[in-house]
Amino acid sequence: MKRYSKNHILKIYEVNCFGDLKLLSLFNILQEAASEHAEILGIGYEECFKREVAWVAASYRVDIKRLPKIGEQIQIETWIADLQTVTSQRCYRLKDKDNNILAEGITNWALISTKTLRPVIISKSLQTTPEQVDGERLAFSDEKIRLADPERNDKEYHFISRFDEMDTNFHINNAVYPAWAAESLGQEWLENKTPKMIQINFKNAVKAFENVDIMTQTENNESLHKIGVDNQTKAIIKINWQDK
């Protein structure tokens, strides 16, 4: 199965106070579809666990045309665009019931050893075949996601990461980071703006019960966030916004 798709009806716990899909829910939905597809292809969590390897996200980009509403049925489609030596790129597309595109995205993944935490050769660690790769690439698939640190600190946000936010790799799940970044902007910003595009560079993993600092630079409808722990950069996130 080169391409995987599923329908999903948005639940009340997946939307914000305005009834719009939450960023955390959006990234969880993408992650869940990717995980289900990977299991079907034989390169998912169960197989990785047996072979002592794990997929880790290196970068994300999601372009959002419209956030769906509570009770709305959406279709999630995902496929592997390429499998390189130690990295893989996965694409996503969300549509409404009328087949209109709601969002498109990519994740660049790396396969690492759970013992050494170093990258490993995918074809030697997992059973991969050309039939697992669809090959369709999104318009922005070849753009490198290389985000510079904020040049100034317009806003600061400090909190402690939660045990409940960890994934099966015992790191804070990558779906949590964009929600952290958005939260750092405050209630007034979030009440009046909606995200159009999100880019993430992951640097190092955050664990539970760590003191997390977010340094944020805002310029018109763009926010740039550096997420750090003990002066070590964990992720850089850029979000383009539009007025509601």
Side-chain angles (χ1 to χ4, degrees), residues 57 65 67 83 101 113 136 147-148 173 178 205 207 214 233:
K65 296 183 182 298
L67 289 173
L83 279 169
I101 294 175
S113 163
E136 180 190 348
L147 301 174
N173 190 282
K207 298 180 180 179
I214 302 183
T233 301

Side-chain angles (χ1 to χ4, degrees), residues 17 59 82 143 238:
C17 57
S59 62
D82 67 34
E143 296 178 15
K238 182 171 78 170

Side-chain angles (χ1 to χ4, degrees), residues 107-126:
T107 314
N108 291 298
W109 297 92
L111 190 68
I112 65 167
S113 163
T114 54
K115 287 186 173 181
T116 67
L117 303 182
R118 302 292 298 172
V120 295
I121 297 174
I122 295 172
S123 61
K124 290 184 178 180
S125 303
L126 295 170

Side-chain angles (χ1 to χ4, degrees), residues 66 72-75 95-102:
R66 178 178 71 83
E72 188 171 347
Q73 178 174 294
I74 60 174
Q75 181 191 63
K95 297 180 180 180
D96 65 16
K97 62 180 178 59
D98 297 318
N99 218 35
N100 298 308
I101 294 175
L102 298 170

Side-chain angles (χ1 to χ4, degrees), residues 16-216:
N16 61 22
C17 57
F18 303 107
D20 299 323
L21 179 66
K22 292 190 280 192
L23 285 185
L24 176 61
S25 301
L26 169 62
F27 281 85
N28 276 332
I29 286 170
L30 298 181
Q31 191 175 93
E32 180 181 43
S35 178
E36 290 171 355
H37 188 212
E39 290 295 338
I40 292 170
L41 296 177
I43 56 174
Y45 171 77
E46 294 295 334
E47 191 65 22
C48 286
F49 183 80
K50 288 190 293 185
R51 295 172 180 260
E52 298 182 315
V53 294
W55 292 104
V56 294
S59 62
Y60 252 111
R61 173 168 170 170
V62 179
D63 284 22
I64 301 168
K65 296 183 182 298
R66 178 178 71 83
L67 289 173
K69 293 280 190 178
I70 182 172
E72 188 171 347
Q73 178 174 294
I74 60 174
Q75 181 191 63
I76 306 103
E77 188 177 37
T78 184
W79 64 95
I80 296 174
D82 67 34
L83 279 169
Q84 301 293 332
T85 305
V86 298
T87 62
S88 175
Q89 187 175 90
R90 175 176 285 277
C91 296
Y92 311 86
R93 186 172 287 133
L94 268 64
K95 297 180 180 180
D96 65 16
K97 62 180 178 59
D98 297 318
N99 218 35
N100 298 308
I101 294 175
L102 298 170
E104 291 184 314
I106 58 170
T107 314
N108 291 298
W109 297 92
L111 190 68
I112 65 167
S113 163
T114 54
K115 287 186 173 181
T116 67
L117 303 182
R118 302 292 298 172
V120 295
I121 297 174
I122 295 172
S123 61
K124 290 184 178 180
S125 303
L126 295 170
Q127 294 182 343
T128 59
T129 66
E131 287 72 30
Q132 294 167 332
V133 179
D134 180 280
E136 180 190 348
R137 303 180 70 81
L138 300 178
F140 48 83
S141 294
D142 294 323
E143 296 178 15
K144 299 295 183 184
I145 302 175
R146 292 174 179 164
L147 301 174
D149 287 5
E151 295 179 352
R152 63 179 188 273
N153 191 6
D154 296 330
K155 291 177 179 286
E156 289 186 6
Y157 190 61
H158 309 281
F159 58 95
I160 298 174
S161 55
R162 298 167 49 230
F163 183 86
D164 194 49
E165 295 172 322
M166 282 199 300
D167 59 19
T168 53
N169 293 324
F170 288 88
H171 300 150
I172 298 301
N173 190 282
N174 64 63
V176 175
Y177 290 72
W180 282 352
E183 191 80 9
S184 74
L185 292 164
Q187 183 171 343
E188 183 179 357
W189 183 287
L190 298 176
E191 285 181 346
N192 292 286
K193 297 182 186 294
T194 186
K196 284 180 57 181
M197 188 275 289
I198 303 167
Q199 289 182 307
I200 310 173
N201 275 151
F202 294 102
K203 306 287 188 180
N204 295 284
V206 178
K207 298 180 180 179
F209 303 111
E210 291 192 313
N211 292 302
V212 180
D213 305 307
I214 302 183
M215 171 182 171
T216 296

